[in-house]
């Protein structure tokens, strides 16, 4: 618990961080990478280049200050961070480095306003948070029976082009077996070495059922758009990874899971490549021949961007109480995009008959999830029935 002496300084930091948080995090990353260039192998340098990671950290620091006594709000966020840290290889030895340069950035950006008392308060708050994360990461390591940051070598058994921009990779052990168990909705990290020698890890949801004889990841190639650079790892995978190759991956991580044996209805809402963890859940339910009421609604830019289509069609044959709806933002043809269960335009939940007392899982771009989350809350769905998965940095806007 934060001391009484430090609390007023943390409380007073909330408006300051709202105003200067982004400048602090930009300075933090620049100074830390200058002193420790090896850490570039741990951080997503694509998100660094786009500014997404700096914005996410600024939001996280502000959210932590604003909710430091709200364990109910911070708990799920910290659990997500713990899994992400384990997947990218964060260890206890990294926390002193991060703390040193984060506090240094606060001092440098705030100048005279960063009094010794304020810095002491943030030093205390940082190590309270770090202690929680270190302990939780150690417990996760025990549960997964894998050291933090551990990688194993798997073989690419098959490559399946889903769409022009999306490819599925089927992974097996070198002996040809399944790599092991996971919970539907979890992801693995894939590590590659780029042409400039930089090592980068990216997280990809497992998109098939756990009882399949393989792990499957379904990767969208991220092209450059506007101010966003092209995805370094996704482009490398699409250009280089082929059947027979070996690749380094982490154990499965992630808390975006739910009980698939429950009796109440389940609504799966996805957009773009966010369909991947939903397909893992749906394939698992199909393997169980579940009679649960399920609504599977997916949004895509156009029909050619819908991945895993034939796997969705197969799952539908095994699930008698499944309803599928697809929202196509830019329909391509009346015959192809205007079927009975396909709607033109962005996802609009008012066009669906949603079941009462359902659990809702959301996955897709942050604007998509924000829109659907608000629509469901406005419709009276309690927050505890809403769950989401975030690909990339999380803005944590739900805490602010």
């Amino acid at each position: 618990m934060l001391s009484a002496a430090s609390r007023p300084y943390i409380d007073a930091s909330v408006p300051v961080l709202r105003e200067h948080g982004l400048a602090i995090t930009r300075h933090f990353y620049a100074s830390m990478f200058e002193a420790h260039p090896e850490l570039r192998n741990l951080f997503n340098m694509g998100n660094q280049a786009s500014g997404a990671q700096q914005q996410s950290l600024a939001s996280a620091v502000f959210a932590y200050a604003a909710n430091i006594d709200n364990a109910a709000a911070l708990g799920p966020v910290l659990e997500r961070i713990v899994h992400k840290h384990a997947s990218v290889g964060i260890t206890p030895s990294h926390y002193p480095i991060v703390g040193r340069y984060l506090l240094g950035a606060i001092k440098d950006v705030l100048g005279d306003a960063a009094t010794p008392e304020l810095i002491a308060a943030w030093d205390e708050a940082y190590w309270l948070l770090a202690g929680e994360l270190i302990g939780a990461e150690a417990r996760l390591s025990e549960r997964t029976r894998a050291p933090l940051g551990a990688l194993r070598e798997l073989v690419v058994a098959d490559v399946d082009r889903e769409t022009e921009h999306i490819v599925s990779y089927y992974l097996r052990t070198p002996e040809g077996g399944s790599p092991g168990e996971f919970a539907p909705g979890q992801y693995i990290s894939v590590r590659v070495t780029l042409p400039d020698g930089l090592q980068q890890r990216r997280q990809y949801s497992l998109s098939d059922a756990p009882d399949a004889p393989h792990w499957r990841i379904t990767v969208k190639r991220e092209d450059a758009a506007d101010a966003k650079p092209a995805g370094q790892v996704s482009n490398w995978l699409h250009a280089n990874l082929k059947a027979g190759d070996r690749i380094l991956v982490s154990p499965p991580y992630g808390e975006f899971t739910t009980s698939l044996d429950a009796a109440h209805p389940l609504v799966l809402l996805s957009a773009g490549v966010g369909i991947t963890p939903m397909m893992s859940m749906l394939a698992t339910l199909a393997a169980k021949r579940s009679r649960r009421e399920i609504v599977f609604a997916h949004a895509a830019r156009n029909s050619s961007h819908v991945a895993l289509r034939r796997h969705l069609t197969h799952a539908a044959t095994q699930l008698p109480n499944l309803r599928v709806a697809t929202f196509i933002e830019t329909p391509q043809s009346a015959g192809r995009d205007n079927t009975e269960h396909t709607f033109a335009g962005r996802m609009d939940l008012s066009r669906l008959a949603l079941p009462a007392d359902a659990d809702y899982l959301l996955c897709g771009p942050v604007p998509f999830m924000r829109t659907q989350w608000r629509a469901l809350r406005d419709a009276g769905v309690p927050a505890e029935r809403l769950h989401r998965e975030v690909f990339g940095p999380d803005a944590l806007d739900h805490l602010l």
Side-chain angles (χ1 to χ4, degrees):
M1 180 180 292
L2 191 68
S3 68
S6 294
R7 188 172 305 279
Y9 293 98
I10 299 300
D11 292 342
S13 297
V14 172
V16 176
L17 292 173
R18 185 190 292 274
E19 181 178 357
H20 299 288
L22 187 54
I24 290 170
T25 56
R26 284 174 174 166
H27 185 71
F28 156 70
Y29 281 117
S31 58
M32 184 176 68
F33 289 145
E34 182 179 4
H36 293 275
E38 74 280 1
L39 294 183
R40 289 163 49 87
N41 291 320
L42 285 180
F43 288 83
N44 184 323
M45 299 312 294
N47 287 334
Q48 289 288 324
S50 69
Q53 190 65 63
Q54 295 91 327
Q55 182 62 63
S56 175
L57 180 59
S59 173
V61 172
F62 172 48
Y64 178 57
N67 293 274
I68 198 164
D69 290 324
N70 189 351
L74 287 177
V77 177
L78 296 185
E79 182 69 9
R80 186 181 308 142
I81 292 171
V82 164
H83 281 261
K84 186 66 175 290
H85 279 186
S87 75
V88 300
I90 299 293
T91 67
S93 65
H94 294 120
Y95 283 92
I97 299 172
V98 171
R100 182 185 315 129
Y101 289 97
L102 182 59
L103 292 176
I106 293 174
K107 288 181 185 178
D108 291 343
V109 171
L110 298 187
D112 293 341
T115 64
E117 293 81 7
L118 178 69
I119 296 301
W122 267 103
D123 183 67
E124 179 184 344
Y126 172 79
W127 280 108
L128 282 173
L129 175 60
E132 288 188 49
L133 293 174
I134 290 170
E137 287 156 14
R139 293 189 292 274
L140 179 59
S141 178
E142 290 179 2
R143 294 199 303 273
T144 59
R145 299 176 184 176
L148 295 173
L151 296 169
R152 62 189 294 201
E153 190 175 70
L154 296 182
V155 176
V156 180
D158 195 13
V159 178
D160 187 10
R161 179 163 293 280
E162 303 282 350
T163 73
E164 179 185 356
H165 297 90
I166 301 175
V167 172
S168 285
Y169 300 96
Y170 292 76
L171 309 178
R172 294 179 183 254
T173 66
E175 296 75 28
S178 167
E181 297 180 353
F182 63 91
Q186 289 192 306
Y187 57 81
I188 58 173
S189 275
V190 173
R191 195 186 81 179
V192 304
T193 301
L194 299 173
D196 62 0
L198 182 68
Q199 293 181 345
Q200 289 282 273
R201 298 193 193 199
R202 295 293 184 272
Q203 291 70 49
Y204 298 107
S205 294
L206 293 156
S207 61
D208 209 344
D211 62 354
H214 52 253
W215 285 355
R216 183 178 67 201
I217 58 173
T218 304
V219 180
K220 178 186 176 186
R221 187 186 73 230
E222 298 291 348
D223 296 328
D226 301 324
K228 182 181 178 182
Q232 293 175 297
V233 175
S234 65
N235 276 271
W236 188 95
L237 293 173
H238 275 237
N240 296 283
L241 197 62
K242 58 187 183 300
D245 287 348
R246 299 195 173 206
I247 192 165
L248 293 171
V249 308
S250 76
Y253 291 111
E255 83 303 333
F256 183 65
T257 58
T258 188
S259 172
L260 298 181
D261 295 322
H264 54 267
L266 178 65
V267 178
L268 305 175
L269 306 177
S270 61
V273 78
I275 196 173
T276 52
M278 305 306 196
M279 277 305 307
S280 178
M281 296 178 188
L282 202 66
T284 304
L285 289 162
K288 295 174 179 287
R289 301 293 198 274
S290 174
R291 303 191 67 82
R292 189 175 183 181
E293 183 179 2
I294 307 164
V295 176
F296 189 101
H298 180 66
R301 192 171 303 166
N302 57 54
S303 292
S304 65
H305 283 71
V306 180
L308 302 166
R309 188 191 295 270
R310 73 179 186 279
H311 303 288
L312 176 58
T313 300
H314 174 73
T317 66
Q318 312 298 316
L319 296 167
N321 296 314
L322 169 68
R323 288 186 287 130
V324 176
T326 306
F327 291 81
I328 302 298
E329 185 172 346
T330 307
Q332 294 175 312
S333 66
R336 183 174 182 181
D337 286 346
N338 290 323
T339 62
E340 181 181 357
H341 304 295
T342 301
F343 303 93
R346 297 185 176 184
M347 186 178 289
D348 179 358
L349 297 181
S350 68
R351 304 175 74 176
L352 302 177
L354 296 175
D357 300 322
D359 278 340
Y360 290 82
L361 279 74
L362 293 77
C363 186
V366 170
F368 164 82
M369 290 193 292
R370 186 180 294 129
T371 297
Q372 306 313 323
W373 186 288
R374 290 173 179 168
L376 291 167
R377 294 291 288 124
D378 289 345
V381 178
E384 58 268 23
R385 287 197 174 272
L386 300 176
H387 313 277
R388 66 177 192 165
E389 175 68 301
V390 179
F391 290 164
D394 187 353
L396 303 182
D397 55 307
H398 57 295
L399 291 183
L400 305 182

